[in-house]
């Protein structure tokens, strides 16, 4: 690429980075000339446009058309920052609207390569209202079940970020890109520049991945394969059982139920038969809490050949204890995944889960959820962050899903914080899992029982895998 910084490439260089030798077919909207010096009669505007055109070789700040990325056809639109800072005027809006309409008509995904400073001030409110046109066009595409991917380049600010960029289903950023609603000349003088960077936006859960230029084509190809459009995909298969813990735990292994020595003895007794079901509720909890038990990362690595993370809740937060995204299995089938990692799930995690489930539902991609949490985070910060509303929204996303949702409980099923991710009619459990209305320790405390009766309380709760099948909660025991 001629530009040494791919984040500052021209519009056509950015397209070529993705399409390579497969080529790109440019489209243009019907002519719709502006009045002299634009809709406001801004003195010198026509001359500025002529200089921009001479400098860049472009007629406007957006180039669009059809192309192939990897093996996937799509509609591409690319901003030319060298043309008046990639700003949006009325004719830019014409091109953006036409690009979305082209994707809708041909039922192709839309790939936007964004580099813009925002609305074009020389066209005033006429320029600003182009954001409404873009939002309406994106909404029509979304309603048709067609995916939108944005690659944000340097810089991506203003209304372009707030519509074409941040409004996409998946947001990828090039390293070093400046990304934010406020441009560099309109921020507070003491603003932290990190907050307006690709890395800063990733940390805040606003960008799904920061992708080096030499990996961008492969990454986008995977995303296009995963997002579709698809028709009549089968349900996500239930993951296969993974080997459990093989080594005897130390005497100090924490189980939270019974004494450490008793828990260690029970775990040791079960290590010779990975498929043996727990005999007691206490044993079920101990096995689910065993730190050597397979976790979400192991199940996802075994299940997928390619994983494409969706990062963050789009409200400024992330939860490292919950993994979301789409993946491709060995046979090429796409599956969306939401996986708890054994920690208390935070509000940001539930919001990211709901975002993932709704995206998959809109695109017709089946969903796999892996349940493993002692419960929802219940600290004061979690309450302030809207824990109840976030959990409620996740319940609603599962309930409203039209695609098949498959759930495997791989460890702890801690009350409503775990149930929010469970498919009502398609939940399966592993031999080293449990699910309970409340943790046995908390149940004993509420009932004013001594700690020595926690194990008996666990038995009363009927939380073992086989109990869950008998009660009709789980369909099968895996492994």
């Amino acid at each position: 690429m001629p530009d040494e910084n791919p984040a500052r490439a021209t519009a056509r260089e950015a397209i070529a980075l993705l399409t390579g030798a497969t080529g790109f077919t440019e489209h243009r909207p019907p002519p719709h000339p502006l009045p002299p010096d634009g809709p406001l009669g801004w003195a010198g505007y026509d001359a500025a446009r002529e200089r921009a055109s001479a400098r860049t070789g472009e007629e406007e700040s957006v180039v669009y058309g059809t192309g192939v990325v990897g093996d996937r056809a799509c509609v591409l639109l690319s901003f030319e920052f060298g043309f008046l800072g990639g700003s949006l005027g009325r004719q830019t809006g014409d091109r953006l609207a036409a690009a979305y309409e082209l994707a809708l008509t041909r039922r192709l995904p839309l790939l936007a390569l964004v580099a813009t400073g925002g609305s074009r001030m020389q066209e005033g409110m006429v320029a600003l209202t182009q954001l409404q046109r873009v939002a309406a066009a994106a909404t029509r595409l979304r309603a048709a079940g067609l995916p939108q991917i944005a690659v944000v380049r340097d810089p991506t600010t203003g209304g372009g970020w707030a519509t074409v960029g941040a409004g996409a289903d998946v947001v990828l950023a090039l390293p070093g890109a400046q990304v934010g609603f406020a441009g560099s000349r309109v921020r507070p003088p003491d603003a932290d520049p990190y907050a307006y960077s690709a890395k800063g936006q990733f940390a805040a859960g606003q960008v799904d991945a920061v992708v080096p230029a030499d990996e961008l084509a492969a990454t986008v190809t995977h995303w296009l394969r995963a997002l579709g459009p698809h028709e009549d995909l089968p349900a996500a298969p239930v993951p296969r059982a993974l080997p459990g813990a093989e080594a005897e735990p130390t005497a100090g292994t924490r189980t939270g139920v019974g004494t450490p020595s008793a828990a260690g003895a029970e775990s040791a007794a079960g290590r010779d038969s990975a498929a043996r079901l727990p005999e007691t509720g206490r044993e079920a909890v101990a096995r689910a809490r065993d730190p050597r038990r397979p976790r979400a990362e192991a199940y996802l690595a075994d299940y997928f050949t390619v994983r494409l993370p969706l990062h963050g809740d789009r409200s400024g937060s992330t939860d490292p204890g919950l993994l979301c995204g789409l993946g491709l299995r060995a046979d090429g089938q796409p599956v969306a995944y939401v996986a708890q990692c054994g920690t208390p799930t935070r509000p940001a995690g539930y919001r990211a889960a709901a975002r993932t489930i709704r995206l998959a539902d809109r695109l017709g991609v089946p969903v796999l959820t892996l349940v493993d949490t002692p419960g929802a985070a219940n600290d004061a910060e979690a309450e302030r962050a809207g824990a109840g509303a976030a959990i409620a929204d996740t319940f609603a996303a599962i309930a409203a899903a039209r695609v098949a949702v498959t759930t495997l409980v791989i460890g702890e099923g801690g009350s409503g914080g775990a149930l929010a991710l469970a498919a009502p009619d398609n939940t399966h459990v592993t031999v080293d899992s449990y699910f309970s209305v409340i943790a046995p320790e908390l149940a004993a405390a509420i009932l004013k029982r001594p700690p020595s009766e926690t194990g008996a309380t666990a038995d009363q709760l009927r939380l073992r895998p086989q109990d869950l099948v008998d009660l009709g909660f789980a369909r099968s025991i895996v492994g």
Side-chain angles (χ1 to χ4, degrees):
M1 179 176 294
D3 196 308
E4 294 182 358
N5 177 10
R8 274 291 176 98
T10 68
R12 295 180 190 274
E13 287 170 348
I15 291 172
L17 179 66
L18 291 172
T19 60
T22 60
F24 167 73
T25 302
E26 185 175 359
H27 289 241
R28 288 182 172 84
H32 191 185
L34 293 170
D37 279 333
L40 304 185
W42 187 287
Y45 180 45
D46 284 349
R49 287 179 56 87
E50 290 173 3
R51 290 192 298 271
S53 182
R55 184 170 57 251
T56 63
E58 303 296 350
E59 300 172 355
E60 248 302 338
S61 60
V62 163
V63 174
Y64 78 97
T66 56
V68 177
V69 178
D71 57 356
R72 295 286 161 159
C74 60
V75 171
L76 298 100
L77 68 86
S78 186
F79 282 76
E80 176 53 67
F81 189 76
F83 193 102
L84 300 179
S87 58
L88 282 74
R90 199 210 68 200
Q91 290 187 331
T92 321
D94 292 343
R95 289 173 174 241
L96 292 172
Y100 282 89
E101 185 63 27
L102 180 63
L104 183 63
T105 301
R106 299 199 179 184
R107 291 204 57 78
L108 292 173
L110 182 99
L111 174 58
L113 312 176
V114 191
T116 174
S119 298
R120 192 172 298 169
M121 63 180 181
Q122 295 95 329
E123 294 189 25
M125 285 302 298
V126 172
L128 189 63
T129 56
Q130 302 310 305
L131 305 182
Q132 295 172 320
R133 290 182 71 188
V134 173
T139 299
R140 289 191 293 272
L141 205 60
R142 191 172 294 113
L146 295 169
Q148 302 170 47
I149 302 172
V151 176
V152 292
R153 298 149 52 208
D154 185 41
T156 297
T157 61
W161 164 240
T163 52
V164 184
D169 298 318
V170 176
V171 181
L172 309 176
L174 286 172
Q178 178 188 170
V179 184
F181 184 64
S184 59
R185 298 185 182 181
V186 297
R187 298 171 193 157
D190 59 348
D192 178 9
Y194 180 74
Y196 305 87
S197 68
K199 287 185 178 179
Q201 295 286 7
F202 175 79
Q206 308 289 359
V207 164
D208 292 304
V210 179
V211 183
D214 59 356
E215 299 176 13
L216 188 61
T219 300
V220 170
T221 298
H222 287 316
W223 271 115
L224 290 171
R225 290 172 180 165
L227 295 172
H230 304 291
E231 292 185 7
D232 300 325
L233 291 175
V238 179
R240 65 179 178 177
L242 298 182
E246 295 180 357
E248 183 175 345
T250 63
T253 299
R254 174 197 169 273
T255 67
V257 180
T259 63
S261 58
E266 288 176 347
S267 182
R271 64 193 169 105
D272 295 329
S273 177
R276 184 181 67 81
L277 290 170
E279 296 180 2
T280 66
R282 176 172 63 181
E283 182 189 353
V285 175
R287 287 170 64 170
R289 292 177 178 173
D290 191 321
R292 299 158 305 145
R293 166 184 59 76
R295 305 284 164 153
E297 279 285 359
Y299 278 97
L300 294 174
D302 185 68
Y303 195 81
F304 292 112
T305 57
V306 175
R307 278 169 54 192
L308 303 162
L310 289 168
H311 181 73
D313 66 352
R314 293 296 186 266
S315 296
S317 299
T318 62
D319 179 0
L322 188 131
L323 306 176
C324 295
L326 276 77
L328 297 170
R329 289 175 53 76
D331 61 0
Q333 179 184 352
V335 174
Y337 64 87
V338 176
Q340 292 171 315
C341 299
T343 58
T345 303
R346 306 202 64 80
Y350 290 112
R351 285 191 288 266
R355 171 197 169 206
T356 302
I357 293 163
R358 289 195 173 104
L359 173 61
D361 188 52
R362 177 162 53 81
L363 299 178
V365 178
V367 177
L368 170 70
T369 66
L370 300 180
V371 171
D372 184 12
T373 180
N378 59 4
D379 54 86
E381 181 183 350
E383 291 296 337
R384 285 192 292 267
I391 295 168
D393 195 40
T394 307
F395 271 116
I398 291 279
R402 296 158 296 178
V403 296
V405 180
T406 303
T407 297
L408 180 63
V409 185
I410 62 173
E412 293 195 77
S415 194
L419 189 66
L421 290 177
D425 300 314
N426 196 22
T427 291
H428 308 259
V429 292
T430 63
V431 295
D432 45 8
S433 69
Y434 79 89
F435 219 117
S436 178
V437 65
I438 190 171
E441 300 88 346
L442 299 179
I446 290 172
L447 296 171
K448 299 182 180 180
R449 294 176 176 177
S452 60
E453 294 188 24
T454 300
T457 304
D459 290 336
Q460 283 186 291
L461 287 168
R462 297 196 63 192
L463 47 72
R464 301 174 303 167
Q466 58 268 46
D467 295 325
L468 300 173
V469 172
D470 290 343
L471 291 169
F473 171 75
R475 292 181 59 180
S476 74
I477 300 173
V478 176

